[in-house]
Amino acid sequence: MLMLALLLAAASPDWQLVPGSFERGRGPDGNTVLLDAPDGLIVVDTGRHQAHQDAILAAARARGKPIAAIVNTHWHLDHTGGNAELRAAYPDIPVYGSNAIDRALKGFFPRSRAGAEQFIASGKARPEQIAEIRRDMAAMDDLANLRPTQVVRSTGPTTIAGRRLDVHLEPYAATAGDVWLYAPKARLAIAGDLVVGLTPFMDTACPEGWRAALGHIAAVPFATLVPGHGAAMTRADFDSWRKAFDALLDCAGDTAERQTCIDGWMKDAAAFIPAADKDRVPGMIGYYIDTRLRASPEEKARFCPGGPG
Ligand SMILES: [Zn+2]
């Protein structure tokens, strides 16, 4: 009987991944995880594009439960852009997230809006790029759906939709407030963009805080880790990705040639970079070396404690 129960438990996990996407020429959708809870489903991250939100809603219907709560791992629009669509279908559901978005509202959002408007005014934006920009701007304007209704202020056990989860807050990592979850029964870690196989997205990163956050993830006994983008990882996968991350920071912090650091990442993280993406990842790593890891001291400190954001 016990064996049967174990087999059934293995056959029907109490969570489900709705994979994100990262097509060329448009912004990505982060991964979404649906977690079964006594009051319905917890949706962790909501993607950016309508097709992703449609996939979340379809997966929820197939599980036969209402969506009862949203958790946003961080405020980036590829993880929060679908809050409005889900809350249109399930009105007034709570949104859990850090208050780092308040910092973004003063810094990152106005800067990115100004840059996008300049790009449109230049006449170089293709129609689909303009549509994408307009979609992001509409999401940025919809603060009622973007900002959390339940602010995560510290690390600790939290009951969401009737399910007890370990909710972790990393104050300065991929953003100024990254939330990641550990579901003990499922031995599942949901890491958000603290882990992204292809390349760490460092646009709003405090790299040393991020490095520390990976140590906190390593300290929980997860068996499966869902990264912010890309396929689920085993613990061994995570360990090897973390080594690649540390090596990239060490290389960029040293006097090594820029290309050496890029080549190092391509080798160390090779298992996490799909063949179809091998040509575009070196450019991304180079970009993050230039704009974050080897930027001016002021720029490097921008998203760290005391920085302007
Ligand atoms: Zn992301």
Side-chain angles (χ1 to χ4, degrees):
M1 262 329 264
L2 179 64
M3 201 54 173
L4 180 64
L6 285 174
L7 280 172
L8 283 172
S12 53
D14 62 1
W15 61 276
Q16 179 181 343
L17 172 64
V18 180
S21 67
F22 193 11
E23 291 167 27
R24 277 161 211 260
R26 63 174 211 164
D29 291 286
N31 283 330
T32 292
V33 177
L34 305 184
L35 285 169
D36 293 334
D39 301 344
L41 294 167
I42 304 165
V43 174
V44 186
D45 287 344
T46 60
R48 168 187 260 123
H49 299 99
Q50 185 67 48
H52 188 80
Q53 283 114 43
D54 290 346
I56 296 171
L57 291 168
R61 278 194 296 273
R63 281 189 99 77
K65 290 182 178 181
I67 295 175
I70 293 170
V71 178
N72 290 138
T73 57
H74 59 298
W75 56 262
H76 288 177
L77 296 176
D78 52 325
H79 299 259
T80 54
N83 287 5
E85 283 80 356
L86 300 196
R87 296 180 96 220
Y90 298 92
D92 300 324
I93 53 172
V95 178
Y96 291 76
S98 80
N99 59 12
I101 187 164
D102 292 337
R103 210 166 125 119
L105 284 171
K106 293 191 217 108
F108 188 87
F109 280 2
R111 273 201 311 280
S112 101
R113 186 183 291 267
E117 263 154 14
Q118 224 173 23
F119 181 47
I120 292 177
S122 76
K124 287 182 198 146
R126 298 191 306 274
E128 63 273 22
Q129 288 175 312
I130 295 176
E132 176 108 350
I133 289 168
R134 297 274 178 240
R135 182 176 181 81
D136 280 357
M137 284 187 180
M140 281 192 243
D141 287 336
D142 185 8
L143 289 181
N145 284 310
L146 209 52
R147 295 181 76 219
T149 63
Q150 316 293 323
V151 177
V152 175
R153 296 187 191 279
S154 60
T155 292
T158 307
T159 302
I160 300 177
R163 180 167 177 167
R164 208 165 151 88
L165 296 167
D166 293 338
V167 176
H168 294 256
L169 176 66
E170 305 295 344
Y172 293 94
T175 68
D178 291 275
V179 171
W180 62 276
L181 304 177
Y182 180 62
K185 197 171 66 148
R187 294 188 63 197
L188 173 71
I190 304 170
D193 280 6
L194 294 171
V195 180
V196 176
L198 200 67
T199 166
F201 292 126
M202 295 193 163
D203 305 79
T204 58
C206 179
E208 289 306 324
W210 190 335
R211 194 201 284 265
L214 295 178
H216 303 155
I217 294 177
V220 302
F222 69 83
T224 307
L225 179 146
V226 175
H229 302 259
M233 295 184 180
T234 63
R235 177 165 280 275
D237 292 335
F238 168 77
D239 288 344
S240 106
W241 188 84
R242 185 184 174 203
K243 269 198 198 116
F245 180 94
D246 285 345
L248 175 62
L249 264 52
D250 292 343
C251 186
D254 196 11
T255 54
E257 291 283 338
R258 178 180 185 274
Q259 190 60 42
T260 305
C261 303
I262 296 172
D263 294 344
W265 176 262
M266 294 307 291
K267 183 166 159 282
D268 297 343
F272 308 103
I273 304 172
D277 291 314
K278 296 262 186 227
D279 62 330
R280 64 170 168 164
V281 173
M284 294 184 210
I285 295 293
Y287 172 79
Y288 291 126
I289 291 173
D290 299 341
T291 60
R292 189 74 26 228
L293 299 175
R294 286 187 174 173
S296 67
E298 303 78 51
E299 182 57 31
K300 273 206 276 195
R302 176 179 287 282
F303 299 105
C304 292

